[in-house]
């Protein structure tokens, strides 16, 4: 069940109606639990069993903390190891096996060893580990079992994040307050925008990108560049669209889930990019992996510290999937971070800024880093190192001669421009806090309304009707103009 | 204060009201607009040079614009909006008709068969030898598989074919008909359709078994059985549709189609996609709305691989080998090979077919190793074992694997109308490949007792 499917919309709607009709906390909790478990089991019993297994293992130390507090610390360590091992088995074992059997062919059997990837395992594993570490640090109280189960399995954040922490969601689950009209307005808008990003931007580009990445050596440089750019846009539309849908669905019930993307392609340096791209993952990595590693390394030497940065990013890469391409992707971004932190000093940057106006420096840095991001995405998209090498080889050394229709190329460029425009709107409206568009319109309209003596409340009402209708239009148009013949799954489902 | 849902201030209230009121009206408006807007010829979906190049002399001058073709129902060739370029009206040309339905009488066909199957609502494209011979890659076409039930009920058949798009492309029906019965062409009826699953085959077979007609051979391509990878949702949807169909009990296939069409027409947001509709035998010709959607279809399908123009015929095999090395076979299968499941499905399908067929030939429409590496989850050996274990009595099995048919990548090479031009379709053969496969099928049928050599 994916968020854009009618099944999910129906499930969400029915749960919401029940949630509104029954304000009793017990009923609401049960309703959300049943819906969440139904959501997981929709993909298969195995997914549900693996999820419940992880929840049970993570719940044991919390349970023991009441009866035998002295042993809790040790049990938490065991529980974290078990959850981590579970992830390794389902996600990495087939890959490890294939790599080992490649080195030792004698181990290779007649059949390929493979395991299905349980739904959202990478996400709920990280969430569970974070919870247990915080619990060990005595930062959080022990919740009740149903609450903990809902915290881990709430359908709006289970499959592909955001990776919600205890303090972000648990208090809301404890209060289970009624959603208000503003929650529904915001939730609906977010859900519709997310769906439009996924179905109208990401899915439209996908066929082009898939075609080129299937045989990169056949295509010319322009096509290869456009495909790399296309994938950069596609993965943003896909993942941020999915997150928006999840956050929107949660907001319909009055839950605020954390933002996961803050105009990432407007970043001018690698560290900024990771503060804006998949923010909840970056924060998790920062708090539970990077900080302990970096602190330990910093005491030894600068080089150890830079090594810790690279190691962290390699693990971030590997988290995305069991493939060498993700390892290289992590190493690549780690190297960019090292370059930023270890080599280019603030003084050198100051000198650069003296040479040219600020906007030139910012624009140059942005262009340079955007290019680096696009190239990194080639690694991310490639199915193997050989394919990535083939792609870069064709791009730099021996391009093919095939191209694709101009209209397809234009659609990639149009999608890129649209993406950057959406970034700009979000950036200036939410990050910078300058509501420049609205204030400009406001000033223009101010005089008109003053002359017509319309009440401000009336204006708000009209704007409400208008934006509601436009949101409905975008939703219906998204469903009408989606590609019915080619609808790739969410990219982050595989992670 | 009681914790309950509040409508908020006037803005929020108005937003929700505006949203709820606009939703049905916008949906109706868009539905109306999209249905009325005819598909447009754009460089993306239609290449006039391609059309001119592919059309044989007896076909030219008949490819007209959508608006003109709509006015003139006598036309039997109109442009479509995918890479095939041409849609054909089977009844308007005798030669064309006999290549689509070898052995059947055209005149009776026109009067007896439910007309709507061959109105503009249904796809009438098919593998057509006269067309294919004049182009390097053939013209890919389909029949309305839903019509096969009606045709069978009215006329019967000598050879009946079940399968998916691989089958449709792999068998040249007029060649099959003539070589099996040179004096008087055998009636070969294909019920194959894109993505047809065994469940659907079984449904059609049950429907056909209720008639008084019996066939000499049923040729069943079980390409879709060996764990064909689809999303779990896809399979669930197919199973749901099949279950619905069975629940309807006495509903005929036609009624089922009508029901589905009505349901679909009423549905604001159809949850069933083309992929799902195909196995349900609703292979409808692109209406205006779908035509518009086709424009937005991927230029290169997932089962196609672009071939660099520098790769010529001699170096194609070498190039394809390098692709094979890159793709597999070490790549993990998407699903494990469900040998047990499909063995049961074959048995149950064979059981249904035995009701009205004297002989059954089980086979697998050959694809390339690349297809197997990319999509397949069962090795040819596994499939072969299952097939051979079923080959007894009236059931025959044909060896699996493309080598049996003397195929190579050249037989899967296509030149498309849109860029990039040259591609390998890893799942479907071109006309040359189809001839080789058809020849093998003919040999197999002839080698069995009760050989089909005369009019059946």
């Amino acid at each position: 069940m994916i968020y854009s499917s009618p099944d999910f919309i129906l499930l969400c709607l029915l749960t919401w109606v029940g949630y509104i009709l029954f304000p009793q906390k017990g009923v609401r909790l049960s309703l959300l639990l049943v819906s969440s478990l139904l959501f997981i089991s929709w993909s298969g019993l195995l997914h549900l069993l693996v999820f419940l297994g992880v929840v049970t293992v993570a719940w044991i130390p919390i349970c023991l903390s009441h009866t035998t507090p002295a042993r809790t610390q040790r049990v938490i360590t065991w529980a974290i190891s078990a959850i981590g091992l579970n992830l390794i088995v389902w996600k990495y074992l087939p890959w490890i096996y294939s790599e080992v059997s490649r080195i030792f062919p004698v181990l290779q059997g007649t059949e390929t060893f493979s395991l299905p990837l349980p739904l959202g395992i990478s996400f709920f594993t990280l969430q569970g580990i974070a919870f247990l570490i915080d619990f060990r640090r005595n930062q959080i109280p022990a919740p009740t079992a149903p609450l903990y189960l809902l915290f881990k399995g709430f359908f709006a954040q289970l499959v592909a994040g955001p990776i919600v922490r205890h303090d972000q969601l648990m208090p809301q689950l404890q209060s289970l307050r009624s959603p208000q009209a503003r929650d529904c307005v915001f939730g609906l808008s977010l859900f519709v925008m997310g769906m439009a990003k996924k179905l109208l931007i990401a899915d439209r580009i996908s066929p082009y990108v898939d075609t080129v990445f299937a045989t990169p050596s056949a295509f010319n440089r322009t096509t290869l560049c456009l495909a790399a750019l296309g994938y950069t846009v596609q993965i943003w539309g896909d993942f941020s669209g999915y997150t928006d849908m999840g956050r929107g669905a949660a907001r319909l019930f009055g839950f605020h889930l954390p933002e996961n993307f803050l105009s990432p392609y407007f970043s001018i340096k690698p560290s900024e990019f990771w503060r804006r791209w998949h923010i909840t993952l970056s924060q998790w990595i920062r708090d539970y992996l990077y900080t302990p590693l970096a602190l330990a390394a910093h005491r030894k030497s600068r080089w150890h510290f830079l090594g810790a940065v690279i190691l962290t990013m390699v693990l971030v890469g590997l988290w995305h999937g069991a493939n060498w391409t993700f390892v290289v992707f992590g190493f690549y971004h780690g190297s960019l971070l090292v370059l930023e932190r270890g080599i280019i000093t603030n003084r050198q940057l100051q000198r650069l800024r003296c040479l040219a106006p600020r906007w030139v420096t910012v624009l140059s840095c942005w262009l340079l880093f955007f290019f680096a991001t696009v190239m990194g995405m080639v690694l991310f998209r490639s199915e193997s190192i050989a394919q990535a090498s083939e792609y870069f080889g064709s791009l730099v050394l021996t391009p093919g001669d095939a191209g694709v229709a101009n209209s397809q190329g234009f659609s990639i460029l149009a999608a890129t421009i649209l993406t950057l425009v959406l970034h700009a709107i979000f950036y200036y409206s939410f990050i910078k806090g300058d509501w420049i568009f609205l204030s400009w319109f406001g000033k223009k309209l101010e005089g008109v309304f003053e002359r017509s003596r319309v009440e401000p409340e009336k204006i708000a009402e009209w704007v409400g009707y208008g934006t509601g209708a436009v949101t409905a239009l975008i939703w219906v148009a998204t469903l009408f103009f989606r590609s019915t013949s080619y609808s790739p799954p969410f990219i982050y489902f595989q992670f | 204060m009681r914790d309950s849902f509040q409508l908020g201030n006037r803005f929020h209230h108005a937003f929700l009201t505006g949203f709820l009121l606009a939703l049905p009206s916008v949906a109706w408006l868009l539905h109306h607009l999209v249905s009325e807007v005819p598909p447009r010829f754009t460089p993306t979906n239609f290449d006039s040079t391609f059309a001119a190049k592919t059309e044989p002399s007896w076909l030219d001058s008949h490819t007209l614009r959508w608006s003109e073709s709509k006015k003139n129902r006598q036309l039997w060739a109109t442009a479509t909006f995918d890479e095939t370029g041409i849609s054909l009206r089977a009844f308007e040309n005798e030669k064309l008709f006999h290549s689509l339905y070898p052995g059947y009488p055209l005149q009776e066909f026109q009067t007896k068969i439910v007309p709507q199957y061959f109105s503009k609502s249904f796809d009438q494209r098919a593998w057509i030898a006269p067309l294919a011979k004049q182009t390097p890659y053939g013209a890919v076409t389909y029949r309305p598989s839903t019509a096969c039930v009606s045709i069978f009920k009215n006329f019967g058949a000598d050879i009946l074919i079940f399968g998916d798009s691989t089958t449709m492309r792999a068998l040249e029906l007029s060649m099959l008909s003539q070589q099996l019965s040179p004096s008087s062409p055998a009636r070969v009826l294909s019920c194959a359709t894109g993505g047809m699953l065994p469940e659907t085959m079984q449904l059609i077979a049950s429907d056909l078994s209720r008639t008084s007609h019996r066939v000499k051979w049923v040729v069943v391509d079980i390409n879709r059985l060996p764990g064909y990878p689809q999303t779990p949702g896809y399979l669930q949807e197919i199973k749901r549709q099949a279950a619905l169909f069975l629940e309807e009990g006495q509903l005929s296939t036609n009624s089922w189609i009508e029901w589905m069409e009505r349901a679909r027409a009423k549905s604001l947001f159809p949850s069933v996609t083309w992929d799902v509709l195909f196995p349900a035998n609703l292979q409808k010709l692109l209406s205006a709305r779908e035509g518009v959607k086709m424009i937005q279809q991927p230029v290169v399908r997932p089962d196609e691989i672009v071939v660099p123009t520098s790769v010529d015929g001699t170096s194609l095999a070498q190039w394809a080998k390098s692709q094979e090395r890159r793709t597999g076979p070490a790549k993990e299968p998407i699903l494990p090979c469900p040998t047990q499941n499909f063995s049961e499905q074959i048995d149950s399908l064979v059981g249904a077919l035995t009701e009205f067929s004297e002989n059954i030939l089980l086979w697998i429409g050959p694809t390339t190793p690349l297809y197997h590496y990319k999509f397949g989850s069962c090795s040819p050996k596994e499939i072969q074992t299952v097939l051979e274990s079923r080959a007894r009595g009236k059931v025959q099995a044909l060896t699996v694997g493309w080598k049996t048919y003397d195929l190579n990548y050249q037989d899967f090479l296509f030149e498309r109308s849109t860029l990039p031009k040259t591609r390998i379709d890893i799942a479907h053969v071109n006309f040359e490949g189809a001839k080789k496969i058809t020849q093998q099928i003919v040999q197999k049928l002839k080698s069995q007792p009760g050989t089909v050599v005369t009019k059946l």
Side-chain angles (χ1 to χ4, degrees):
Chain A
M1 194 189 290
I2 57 171
Y3 289 168
S4 53
S5 69
D7 306 332
F8 177 76
I9 292 170
L10 188 66
L11 176 79
C12 197
L13 189 69
L14 292 177
T15 314
W16 188 82
V17 170
Y19 195 84
I20 295 294
L21 289 178
F22 302 101
Q24 298 88 349
K25 278 189 186 174
V27 179
R28 284 186 169 177
L29 185 67
S30 314
L31 201 61
L32 289 178
L33 262 179
V34 169
S35 302
S36 297
L37 294 177
L38 189 68
F39 177 80
I40 305 167
S41 53
W42 202 262
S43 306
L45 192 62
L46 174 82
H47 301 273
L48 182 68
L49 290 176
V50 172
F51 170 75
L52 290 177
V54 170
V55 172
T56 310
V57 170
W59 178 247
I60 292 170
I62 300 167
C63 236
L64 285 177
S65 68
H66 298 298
T67 52
T68 51
R71 288 168 60 190
T72 308
Q73 297 288 324
R74 202 189 310 160
V75 178
I76 286 177
T77 311
W78 281 107
I80 291 173
S81 309
I83 295 171
L85 192 66
N86 180 62
L87 177 69
I88 291 170
V89 167
W90 289 105
K91 192 168 176 177
Y92 300 101
L93 196 61
W95 177 62
I96 293 169
Y97 174 76
S98 72
E99 291 305 308
V100 170
S101 58
R102 192 183 292 177
I103 300 164
F104 305 106
V106 71
L107 294 172
Q108 206 159 17
T110 48
E111 289 181 14
T112 317
F113 170 59
S114 67
L115 289 171
L117 189 63
L119 193 72
I121 189 168
S122 306
F123 292 88
F124 65 69
T125 300
L126 292 196
Q127 195 190 27
I129 290 172
F131 187 91
L132 286 174
I133 292 174
D134 288 347
F135 187 70
R136 185 162 64 181
R137 290 172 182 168
N138 293 323
Q139 289 174 349
I140 49 175
T144 60
L147 213 55
Y148 182 69
L149 185 61
L150 182 60
F151 168 71
K152 294 271 288 182
F154 182 40
F155 59 75
Q157 50 93 49
L158 174 81
V159 184
I163 303 165
V164 186
R165 308 271 274 274
H166 172 274
D167 57 335
Q168 290 167 326
L169 186 61
M170 197 61 97
Q172 300 183 65
L173 293 179
Q174 279 165 340
S175 70
L176 287 176
R177 69 174 178 86
S178 285
Q180 298 305 306
R182 65 174 176 279
D183 293 318
C184 297
V185 169
F186 194 79
L188 267 177
S189 313
L190 208 54
F191 190 86
V192 169
M193 292 305 161
M195 194 182 264
K197 275 188 202 173
K198 160 69 181 158
L199 298 180
L200 293 187
I201 297 179
D203 285 5
R204 290 280 165 208
I205 297 174
S206 179
Y208 181 98
V209 172
D210 291 351
T211 301
V212 177
F213 271 87
T215 46
S217 57
F219 292 94
N220 58 32
R221 283 199 181 100
T222 313
T223 308
L224 291 168
C225 286
L226 279 172
L229 185 66
Y231 186 67
T232 309
V233 171
Q234 185 197 343
I235 194 164
W236 170 81
D238 192 284
F239 191 21
S240 77
Y242 183 86
T243 311
D244 285 350
M245 278 193 266
R247 289 178 64 232
R251 190 66 190 267
L252 286 172
F253 294 87
F255 301 119
H256 294 249
L257 296 188
E259 181 56 74
N260 222 11
F261 292 88
L262 289 172
S263 305
Y265 295 149
F266 268 15
S267 310
I268 57 170
K269 51 187 180 179
S271 57
E272 190 185 355
F273 176 77
W274 286 102
R275 281 197 299 273
R276 290 158 170 246
W277 175 272
H278 203 171
I279 296 164
T280 52
L281 174 70
S282 300
Q283 286 173 346
W284 193 98
I285 295 288
R286 182 197 63 199
D287 295 347
Y288 301 104
L289 189 66
Y290 171 71
T291 308
L293 260 179
L295 278 175
H298 203 63
R299 289 190 203 108
K300 292 187 177 178
S301 72
R302 183 178 171 77
W303 293 109
H304 276 88
F305 170 71
L306 295 178
V309 172
I310 291 191
L311 179 64
T312 306
M313 291 312 293
V314 166
L315 290 173
V316 168
L318 202 55
W319 175 86
H320 284 93
N323 198 328
W324 287 111
T325 51
F326 293 118
V327 176
V328 178
F329 171 78
F331 184 80
Y332 172 76
H333 270 276
S335 307
L336 289 178
L337 280 169
V338 165
L339 202 70
E340 183 200 345
R341 291 185 182 194
I343 296 171
I344 301 170
T345 60
N346 281 338
R347 191 172 290 174
Q348 283 167 323
L349 269 179
Q350 288 293 338
R351 274 188 211 149
L352 270 175
R353 281 171 190 163
C354 290
L355 289 173
R358 181 176 158 70
W359 70 268
V360 174
T361 320
V362 169
L363 187 67
S364 313
C365 286
W366 176 74
L367 277 173
L368 197 67
F369 183 65
F370 187 65
F371 175 76
T373 309
V374 172
M375 289 300 108
M377 287 303 177
V378 173
L379 286 167
F380 197 85
R381 171 63 179 77
S382 298
E383 285 163 17
S384 63
I385 293 290
Q387 193 187 38
S389 312
E390 189 183 331
Y391 201 101
F392 286 121
S394 305
L395 190 65
V396 181
L397 302 171
T398 51
D401 41 19
V404 292
N406 284 340
S407 55
Q408 296 284 317
F410 286 131
S411 59
I412 296 276
L413 289 176
T416 309
I417 291 165
L418 181 63
T419 301
L420 294 177
V421 167
L422 290 174
H423 270 58
I425 292 171
F426 194 83
Y427 184 77
Y428 283 108
S429 306
F430 294 95
I431 301 174
K432 297 274 283 183
D434 300 336
W435 292 76
I436 51 170
F437 306 108
L438 289 178
S439 62
W440 182 80
F441 273 115
K443 278 175 190 164
K444 288 276 173 198
L445 290 172
E446 215 167 55
V448 179
F449 289 125
E450 268 178 17
R451 279 194 295 277
S452 64
R453 295 172 189 277
V454 183
E455 290 171 39
E457 283 286 292
K458 199 73 187 166
I459 297 168
E461 196 174 335
W462 287 351
V463 173
Y465 285 129
T467 45
V470 168
T471 309
L473 177 71
I474 294 173
W475 194 24
V476 176
T478 303
L479 293 169
F480 260 91
F481 296 110
R482 73 194 158 141
S483 171
T484 51
S485 58
Y486 192 77
S487 187
F490 285 101
I491 294 171
Y492 264 68
F493 271 18
Q494 61 186 298
F495 305 144
Chain B
M1 195 180 77
R2 190 170 178 268
D3 178 38
S4 60
F5 182 75
Q6 304 288 323
L7 268 176
N9 63 26
R10 284 170 82 170
F11 170 78
H12 297 128
H13 191 175
F15 180 97
L16 294 173
T17 313
F19 182 84
L20 291 173
L21 287 178
L23 206 59
S25 41
V26 162
W28 177 83
L29 192 72
L30 268 179
H31 185 267
H32 181 71
L33 279 176
V34 170
S35 322
E36 288 304 309
V37 174
R40 291 156 292 134
F41 290 155
T42 69
T44 319
N45 61 65
F46 186 74
D47 182 341
S48 54
T49 321
F50 166 75
K53 200 173 76 176
T54 51
E55 287 167 27
S57 56
W58 49 271
L59 193 62
D60 59 9
S61 81
H62 290 284
T63 304
L64 295 179
R65 293 179 63 83
W66 170 267
S67 53
E68 290 163 349
S69 65
K70 266 180 92 173
K71 282 179 201 163
N72 188 354
R73 289 296 180 83
Q74 298 305 308
L75 287 173
W76 51 271
T78 51
T80 59
F81 309 95
D82 55 9
E83 73 272 17
T84 57
I86 306 162
S87 175
L88 304 157
R89 295 189 187 285
F91 295 117
E92 310 297 334
N93 182 289
E94 200 171 341
K95 196 172 174 183
L96 177 62
F97 174 83
H98 288 306
S99 61
L100 282 165
Y101 297 100
Y104 286 96
L106 172 61
Q107 297 306 320
E108 287 181 43
F109 221 69
Q110 278 176 313
T111 52
K112 280 190 183 175
I113 301 299
V114 186
Q116 66 260 29
Y117 287 132
F118 301 98
S119 71
K120 71 178 178 68
S121 306
F122 284 94
D123 201 331
Q124 300 177 34
R125 293 168 291 160
W127 257 118
I128 303 158
L131 256 178
K133 277 174 189 164
Q134 295 190 32
T135 62
Y137 41 85
V140 182
T141 51
Y142 306 93
R143 284 166 203 79
S145 61
T146 41
C148 92
V149 177
S150 285
I151 295 168
F152 190 83
K153 282 176 181 170
N154 280 282
F155 301 98
D158 300 322
I159 297 166
L160 199 61
I161 290 161
F162 280 111
D164 63 357
S165 62
T166 313
T167 330
M168 290 153 64
R169 308 270 286 268
L171 295 178
E172 211 294 276
L173 300 195
S174 52
M175 183 178 161
L176 190 66
S177 166
Q178 280 168 9
Q179 292 207 359
L180 285 173
S181 180
S183 56
S184 171
R187 292 170 303 165
V188 182
L189 180 60
S190 174
C191 293
T193 187
M196 185 183 269
L197 290 179
E199 286 93 336
T200 318
M201 291 182 192
Q202 207 165 328
L203 292 173
I204 297 177
S206 310
D207 206 5
L208 298 186
S209 65
R210 286 197 281 269
T211 66
S212 56
H213 297 290
R214 294 290 173 267
V215 293
K216 190 81 181 169
W217 280 96
V218 177
V219 180
V220 191
D221 181 352
I222 54 162
N223 211 344
R224 288 273 155 168
L225 273 174
Y228 187 84
Q230 288 290 353
T231 58
Y234 178 92
L235 287 172
Q236 277 164 9
E237 184 61 31
I238 297 297
K239 283 176 182 164
R240 191 182 67 81
Q241 288 193 28
L244 271 173
F245 186 92
L246 291 170
E247 275 171 24
E248 295 291 334
Q250 300 306 309
L251 260 186
S252 69
T253 313
N254 294 350
S255 321
W256 166 244
I257 291 159
E258 281 168 20
W259 183 85
M260 280 294 285
E261 282 297 282
R262 277 205 309 275
R264 224 178 145 240
K266 282 179 185 170
S267 169
L268 199 59
F269 313 120
S271 62
V272 277
T273 65
W274 269 95
D275 283 343
V276 181
L277 287 174
F278 267 72
N281 295 317
L282 292 166
Q283 196 180 26
K284 210 175 78 167
L285 178 68
L286 316 171
S287 66
R289 183 173 158 200
E290 273 73 27
V292 171
K293 284 186 176 172
M294 284 292 283
I295 295 169
Q296 297 147 352
Q297 270 200 332
V299 176
V300 178
R301 294 197 315 270
D303 53 4
E304 286 184 336
I305 293 179
V306 177
V307 180
T309 43
S310 52
V311 175
D312 58 12
T314 48
S315 57
L316 181 68
Q318 205 178 352
W319 181 84
K321 276 279 172 214
S322 69
Q323 295 298 309
E324 281 178 24
R325 276 198 296 276
R326 211 188 66 186
T327 316
K331 204 170 160 64
E332 295 162 20
I334 298 166
L335 293 169
C337 178
T339 319
Q340 182 61 33
N341 289 349
F342 75 72
S343 299
E344 287 166 9
Q345 278 183 322
I346 291 175
D347 290 339
S348 129
L349 178 60
V350 165
L353 294 172
T354 314
E355 297 287 315
F356 63 96
S357 174
E358 288 176 29
N359 299 288
I360 297 161
L361 176 64
L362 296 174
W363 71 301
I364 296 245
T367 53
T368 59
L370 270 171
Y371 175 82
H372 174 67
Y373 296 154
K374 200 169 175 185
F375 295 119
S377 55
C378 299
S379 69
K381 203 175 172 182
E382 284 171 306
I383 303 164
Q384 187 70 44
T385 312
V386 175
L387 282 194
E388 280 173 359
S389 65
R390 264 80 200 159
R392 56 179 172 269
K394 55 163 64 176
V395 182
Q396 300 296 321
L398 204 57
T399 315
V400 176
W402 72 336
K403 293 285 176 202
T404 313
Y405 304 89
D406 194 26
L407 294 170
N408 55 56
Y409 279 102
Q410 202 76 39
D411 299 312
F412 292 82
L413 197 65
F414 287 83
E415 201 171 302
R416 299 295 191 206
S417 60
T418 49
L419 289 168
K421 295 252 181 202
T422 317
R423 309 170 197 180
I424 286 178
D425 186 332
I426 58 174
H428 307 108
V429 287
N430 57 26
F431 186 63
E432 287 306 311
K435 283 197 289 189
K436 289 181 185 175
I437 297 168
T438 309
Q439 192 60 45
Q440 288 291 325
I441 296 282
V442 168
Q443 293 302 325
K444 182 72 184 176
L445 298 188
K446 277 185 171 176
S447 68
Q448 298 308 313
T451 309
V452 188
V453 285
T454 55
K455 179 85 173 87
L456 300 160

